[in-house]
Amino acid sequence: MTATFGLSMHHAKLMVSLFLTALFISNPVASQADETRLEVGYMPILPVAQLFVLEEAGWAEDAGLELELTRFSSGPAMVQALASGELDVMYFGIGPAMVARSQDVPIRVLAASIQEQIGLVARGTLADSFAAHNGDAKAAIAAFTESEGKRPRLATFPQGSVPDTVLRHWLIEVLGIGTDAVDIVSMGADRVQQALLAGAVDGASILEPILTTVQERVDGARVVARADAMLPGQPGAVLAAREAAIREHRDALVDLLALHIRATEQLNAHPDETAPYVRAFVGQRLIPEATVARALRSPASNYVADPEAIREGTQRMHDFQIAQGSLGRAVNLDALFEISLYEQALEATPDDD
């Protein structure tokens, strides 16, 4: 009886030991998840589609990254959250990134997401005027103003954003007619699309999927100017991070960048396959998957990851914003860009060949 009891006690101790061992093993995993939890701000637009792919496809979870996503209506709105210390990682425009840095918000650009993604879409009389003047923007705007007795109303994101900067550069530097030739109306992404569909504005300097959606749903709507003509080499959305997050979670950010590179390759090579992932984030799932796929194949969807690819265009945009006063003070672009994490991620990214 004593021997039996001793065996039972030994068995019980063994079971407890195994339980504690399992608990010990599981706790570091939970701790690691806590260490790689990142607060990520984003806008529901195609220029940051890499985030949608890597999150919706489950790549982030597989890599041990817990991304807490917060949706914003515009880049400047994200800058306000950044100033309050609310985010670790940002998927937003290079314009707001420079604004944040000029306001001493300690962020660094780690990767590009896209370039030359802006288009000017026109509808109604303005679209007809562009067609009548064979795409001559200066003549089309002047003819619209004369025939309608008012300047064309053009919607875009708030001042300091990439779409707003590209529009102003086109009006001032390319056409030479200045911003007074039109009425610029600032609003968030959802409102831009609503305004275009309702005919509340005549056009918009905007990006995908709004460009494709409006052309599908509004008779006669067309893209009358592309980014390569409005601001050649125009930088677009970027992946940026707080300096504190880089110090505390460098390995996790390198993992995120590796997924960003992988998602960039997939978006360029397989737009139809990535469309369902992107659709889960844009247009509150109300946009048909076929529309998202067409938008991913559009001339405005030029996905890139290498931050060096947008350095020259960023300098051009920076200098224009300084001249216009939309950027409060000059930004040291060498201090804004941090390429070492990207290079580390690139080395860790396997070739798909």
Side-chain angles (χ1 to χ4, degrees):
M1 189 72 178
T2 303
T4 303
F5 178 76
L7 181 61
S8 298
M9 286 296 292
H10 176 74
H11 180 71
K13 289 179 180 179
L14 180 61
M15 292 299 292
V16 170
S17 176
L18 290 172
F19 172 78
L20 291 175
T21 300
L23 186 63
F24 177 78
I25 292 173
S26 66
N27 277 345
V29 174
S31 176
Q32 183 180 17
D34 289 340
E35 291 174 358
T36 58
R37 182 175 183 272
L38 299 171
E39 299 282 347
V40 182
Y42 75 97
M43 294 175 59
I45 53 176
L46 258 66
V48 298
Q50 287 96 330
L51 173 63
F52 310 149
V53 172
L54 67 89
E55 176 68 8
E56 192 69 11
W59 298 351
E61 183 179 1
D62 292 344
L65 299 176
E66 182 184 352
L67 306 183
E68 184 67 29
L69 304 183
T70 301
R71 180 179 181 273
F72 290 85
S73 63
S74 70
M78 212 179 302
V79 172
Q80 294 179 2
L82 275 171
S84 302
E86 298 176 20
L87 301 171
D88 298 315
V89 176
M90 296 70 64
Y91 272 86
F92 65 166
I94 187 66
M98 288 192 290
V99 169
R101 189 77 193 189
S102 73
Q103 296 175 354
D104 296 323
V105 178
I107 68 166
R108 306 294 293 272
V109 170
L110 307 184
S113 290
I114 200 168
Q115 62 184 357
E116 293 190 343
Q117 85 273 30
I118 305 300
L120 182 72
V121 61
R123 56 158 295 152
T125 305
L126 184 60
D128 293 341
S129 186
F130 268 87
H133 292 84
N134 297 316
D136 184 333
K138 188 174 180 178
I141 291 172
F144 175 94
T145 302
E146 182 177 355
S147 65
E148 299 298 306
K150 62 179 182 180
R151 297 173 296 186
R153 287 170 54 84
L154 302 180
T156 192
F157 289 168
Q159 189 165 1
S161 67
V162 174
D164 174 83
T165 300
V166 171
L167 174 60
R168 292 175 187 273
H169 183 275
W170 182 62
L171 292 168
I172 296 169
E173 300 293 336
V174 178
L175 300 185
I177 59 177
T179 56
D180 289 340
V182 301
D183 285 330
I184 299 177
V185 186
S186 299
M187 56 185 72
D190 292 339
R191 288 190 58 208
V192 170
Q193 180 167 307
Q194 292 167 5
L196 282 164
L197 295 178
V201 295
D202 303 298
S205 175
I206 203 61
L207 26 74
E208 293 289 4
I210 298 174
L211 294 172
T212 295
T213 300
V214 171
Q215 291 180 87
E216 286 182 346
R217 296 174 60 179
V218 178
D219 289 342
R222 62 177 65 91
V223 175
V224 295
R226 294 280 183 187
D228 58 353
M230 299 174 78
L231 201 166
Q234 168 250 307
V238 296
L239 190 169
R242 278 187 173 277
E243 291 179 351
I246 296 173
R247 290 192 300 270
E248 297 168 11
H249 305 296
R250 183 182 180 94
D251 290 345
L253 288 173
V254 170
D255 290 341
L256 178 62
L257 282 165
L259 298 181
H260 180 87
I261 294 168
R262 179 183 173 191
T264 301
E265 294 169 349
Q266 289 297 308
L267 285 162
N268 287 326
H270 307 289
D272 289 351
E273 294 177 16
T274 55
Y277 303 140
V278 177
R279 180 180 180 267
F281 283 86
V282 300
Q284 299 176 339
R285 297 180 186 263
L286 299 177
I287 301 176
E289 186 178 313
T291 298
V292 175
R294 278 192 288 273
L296 289 172
R297 296 192 301 267
S298 94
S301 296
N302 306 298
Y303 292 102
V304 295
D306 187 352
E308 291 293 345
I310 63 168
R311 283 291 290 266
E312 183 177 343
T314 299
Q315 186 68 61
R316 187 180 299 115
M317 179 178 286
H318 169 275
D319 295 347
F320 174 75
Q321 288 186 314
I322 288 292
Q324 295 301 309
S326 56
L327 191 59
R329 68 185 191 192
V331 175
N332 181 347
L333 297 187
D334 290 334
L336 176 63
F337 282 82
E338 165 57 78
I339 65 171
S340 66
L341 280 79
Y342 177 84
E343 292 173 341
Q344 188 177 344
L346 195 61
E347 292 176 0
T349 304
D351 292 331
D352 292 334
D353 296 340

